[in-house]
């Protein structure tokens, strides 16, 4: 969908009992959706009305199919939608995923190179000598008491 670029198919089941056309109309016709909510005065209907424009854009990207397992109605359309979704996956999602992986690898390589540059710079500045950390003594791990040259403060 939006973030992942994965194809999504909305499948309405049991269309032999209740038709899915009203829902498809709401998904494709913003005015029909708003009209259906006009008689409602609940908080949810107000919230849904205010989200209507966002939902309108969201629904434009969806494929929808009505299916009845009893009558077999919509099965062909369902498999056609799945085939289209698989093709969309191959042409849109996989290239996008490869691009993201490449960008991540480039970022990691750049970070590794920067880390190596800092290490080289530190080695040049110290001449390869041992460097004493500026970490306070109460943070350092001590074995068997005080370090050499340090006296316990009272």
């Amino acid at each position: 969908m939006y973030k992942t670029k994965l194809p999504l198919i909305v499948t309405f089941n049991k269309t032999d009992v209740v038709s899915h056309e009203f829902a498809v109309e709401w998904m494709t016709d913003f005015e029909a959706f708003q009209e259906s909510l006009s008689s409602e005065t609940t908080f949810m209907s107000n919230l849904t009305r205010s989200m209507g424009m966002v939902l309108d854009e969201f629904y434009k990207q969806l494929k929808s199919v009505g299916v009845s397992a009893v009558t077999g109605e919509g099965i062909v359309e369902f498999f056609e939608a799945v085939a289209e979704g698989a093709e969309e996956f191959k042409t849109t999602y996989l290239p996008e995923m490869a691009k993201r992986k490449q960008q991540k690898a480039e970022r990691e390589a750049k970070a590794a190179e920067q880390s190596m540059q800092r290490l080289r710079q530190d080695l040049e500045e110290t001449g390869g000598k041992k460097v004493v950390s500026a970490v306070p003594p109460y943070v350092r791990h001590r074995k068997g008491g005080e370090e050499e040259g340090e006296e316990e403060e009272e």
Side-chain angles (χ1 to χ4, degrees), residues 116-132:
M116 282 302 289
Q117 286 177 347
R118 286 192 304 271
L119 177 62
R120 286 186 195 114
Q121 183 180 4
D122 289 346
L123 286 173
E124 286 176 14
E125 289 176 4
T126 62
K129 295 179 184 175
K130 183 178 178 181
V131 178
V132 177

Side-chain angles (χ1 to χ4, degrees), residues 75-106:
I75 297 294
V76 172
E77 291 84 1
F78 173 74
F79 284 115
E80 287 172 353
V82 169
E84 289 172 14
E87 186 61 31
E88 183 180 336
F89 176 82
K90 291 175 192 171
T91 59
T92 304
Y93 179 79
L94 289 180
E96 182 68 26
M97 182 57 74
K99 180 181 169 184
R100 288 182 192 173
K101 283 182 179 180
Q102 178 65 30
Q103 290 171 341
K104 181 180 178 186
E106 289 170 1

Side-chain angles (χ1 to χ4, degrees), residues 25-45:
E25 182 183 11
W26 288 354
M27 290 170 56
T28 57
D29 185 2
F30 175 71
E31 296 299 324
F33 178 69
Q34 290 293 330
E35 187 177 312
S36 69
L37 292 173
S38 65
S39 63
E40 294 290 325
T41 58
T42 64
F43 171 76
M44 277 307 288
S45 65

